[in-house]
Amino acid sequence: MKKTLGILAATTALAGAAQAEDFNVVGSWSSLPLHNQYEAPFWTEVLPGAGDFNVELTTHNQMGLGLSEIYPLLGQGVYDVAMTVADYAVGDAPELEGLDVPLVALTADEARAMVDAARPMVEEIFRDRFNAEVLAIAPYPPQVVFCNAEINSLADLEGLQVRASGRMTAIFLEALGAEGVNVSFSEVPGALQNGVVDCAVTGAGSGYSAGWWEVSTHLLPIPLGGWDSVVTAMNADRWDGLSADVQATIEAEIASGFEDPAWASAQDALVNDIACLTGNGECPAGEARDMTLVEVSDADFERAREVLVGQVLPDWAERAGGDWAERWNASVGAVVGVTIE
C-alpha cells in the first residue's frame, strides 16, 4: 500500500510539473516607461506569482526585429507573446489604423473608451491577419510634436518635414501642409540634429526618456499622433492550446496587473512629462528641461478636426475597404462623436 501511494504521489507531482506553462515574450521598446514600469514587472513578477508560469522576456529592439515583422512572426509561432504599437502593423492590416485616430481622444479616459469600443474589431483583425489572440491594449502617452524650429501654432507646421508616428498621422500632417517623413524612433535624434526633419511626433514621456529635448527646442502638446496604442497578443495556436482555467488566469491578471495600471497613470504621465520637458511644473522623473511650450489654441483644434473629418478618416475608410467605416462609426465613432461620411 505504501509503495502504491508513493507511486501515485510521484505521478501526481509529475502531472503538476507538466502543467507549468513556459512563454517566450517579446516586449516593446526596452528604454521606455511602459515596458520598464508595467510590461517587465507583469511578465517577470505578477504573472509568475499568480500560477505555474515561466517567462523568458526580451524586447523587439533587443532582438533587432523590424517593426513590421513583430506580429507576423508571432503568428508563425517564432515566440509566444508580443507587444508593440499597433501602427507598426498597418502595412499588413490597414483597417487597424482605426484603433488610434488623431485628436479624437484628449484625455486618458476618452482614449480608453475609444480603445474599448474598437477592441472587438482589433481582436478580429489580429485573429484574421496575424493568427493571434489579443490579451491587452495599453497606451503610450499622447503623441505630441517636438520641433527643432520655432513654431507658435499648428499652422506653422506647414512646409516643414515632420516625422510621423504612424500612417494615419503622416496623412494628417500632409493634409495640414507638412511633409510626413518615415524615420524610425531610434534615428529621430540624429534626424532632428542634422535637419533631416524639422519636427517629430512621439509620446512626451518617450521623447523625454530618449533625450529628444537635446535636439529640439519647441513642444506642441496637441495629440497629432493619437495615443499610440500598444497591443499585447499571444500566438493563437498557443492560446487555443491552453486550458480554460489558464486562459482565465492570464486574462484576469493582465487586466488588473498590466492594462489597468498603465491606463491609470496615462493622464498624469502627460502632465508630468510636459513638466519634465519644459520646466513648467515639477518633474518626478528627473531633471526638468527647458523646451519652449507652445500653447494650443481653439483655432488649432478646430483646424485639426476639420482636416481629420474631411480628409484623413475618409482616406482611411477607402483604404480599409469593406464595411470598416460603418463598423467604426457604430463603435468608436459613436463614443467619440465623429462620423465618417
Side-chain angles (χ1 to χ4, degrees):
M1 177 63 71
K2 289 182 179 179
K3 183 176 180 180
T4 301
L5 291 174
I7 292 172
L8 287 173
T11 303
T12 302
L14 287 172
Q19 292 174 2
E21 299 293 348
D22 299 325
F23 296 133
N24 292 312
V25 178
V26 177
S28 61
W29 291 102
S30 61
S31 62
L32 299 185
L34 181 67
H35 176 75
N36 292 318
Q37 295 176 17
Y38 302 106
E39 286 177 1
F42 174 76
W43 290 105
T44 60
E45 300 171 17
V46 176
L47 186 63
D52 204 354
F53 300 104
N54 302 312
V55 176
E56 184 175 336
L57 177 68
T58 185
T59 64
H60 60 67
N61 57 299
Q62 290 170 338
M63 293 181 68
L65 293 176
L67 297 177
S68 63
E69 299 175 321
I70 295 165
Y71 292 130
L73 290 175
L74 172 67
Q76 295 167 26
V78 175
Y79 30 77
D80 300 310
V81 179
M83 57 210 77
T84 193
V85 177
D87 272 340
Y88 295 160
V90 299
D92 293 310
E95 60 271 31
L96 192 56
E97 291 176 51
L99 170 63
D100 195 33
V101 178
L103 288 166
V104 297
L106 302 181
T107 68
D109 287 344
E110 291 172 350
R112 186 158 198 188
M114 177 180 69
V115 165
D116 288 346
R119 186 157 180 159
M121 292 186 290
V122 176
E123 291 173 346
E124 180 180 327
I125 292 165
F126 269 73
R127 274 280 176 168
D128 291 347
R129 298 280 189 166
F130 304 117
N131 186 40
E133 176 75 14
V134 172
L135 302 180
I137 304 176
Y140 280 136
Q143 305 295 289
V144 296
V145 188
F146 292 74
C147 287
N148 196 16
E150 183 176 352
I151 61 168
N152 297 295
S153 69
L154 186 67
D156 289 340
L157 296 180
E158 184 173 354
L160 300 184
Q161 298 198 88
V162 184
R163 180 262 185 183
S165 58
R167 181 182 294 181
M168 189 174 285
T169 304
I171 293 169
F172 186 85
L173 288 165
E174 289 167 4
L176 289 170
E179 180 181 351
V181 181
N182 184 19
V183 179
S184 69
F185 179 82
S186 60
E187 295 173 343
V188 167
L192 281 166
Q193 187 171 32
N194 297 324
V196 175
V197 296
D198 302 296
C199 304
V201 177
T202 196
S206 302
Y208 178 80
S209 298
W212 287 21
W213 44 267
E214 295 182 293
V215 290
S216 51
T217 58
H218 287 64
L219 182 72
L220 179 65
I222 188 170
L224 287 189
W227 289 69
D228 244 12
S229 299
V230 173
V231 176
T232 300
M234 180 178 287
N235 173 275
D237 299 321
R238 184 77 172 88
W239 174 259
D240 294 340
L242 299 174
S243 70
D245 287 345
V246 170
Q247 289 179 347
T249 297
I250 294 172
E251 288 174 334
E253 293 298 325
I254 203 167
S256 63
F258 168 59
E259 208 171 18
D260 290 345
W263 278 107
S265 70
Q267 188 63 38
D268 286 343
L270 176 61
V271 174
N272 292 336
D273 294 338
I274 290 175
C276 289
L277 289 164
T278 65
N280 292 3
E282 184 177 347
C283 175
E287 184 177 351
R289 307 303 171 176
D290 60 356
M291 292 184 68
T292 298
L293 181 64
V294 180
E295 296 296 333
V296 181
S297 68
D298 292 341
D300 285 336
F301 276 113
E302 185 176 347
R303 169 64 177 148
R305 184 59 70 97
E306 288 175 357
V307 169
L308 174 70
V309 175
Q311 299 179 53
V312 177
L313 284 173
D315 177 85
W316 168 71
E318 183 176 349
R319 282 183 290 105
D323 63 349
W324 287 104
E326 293 178 13
R327 296 176 63 182
W328 191 92
N329 283 342
S331 54
V332 180
V335 167
V336 299
V338 175
T339 300
I340 304 172
E341 297 296 341

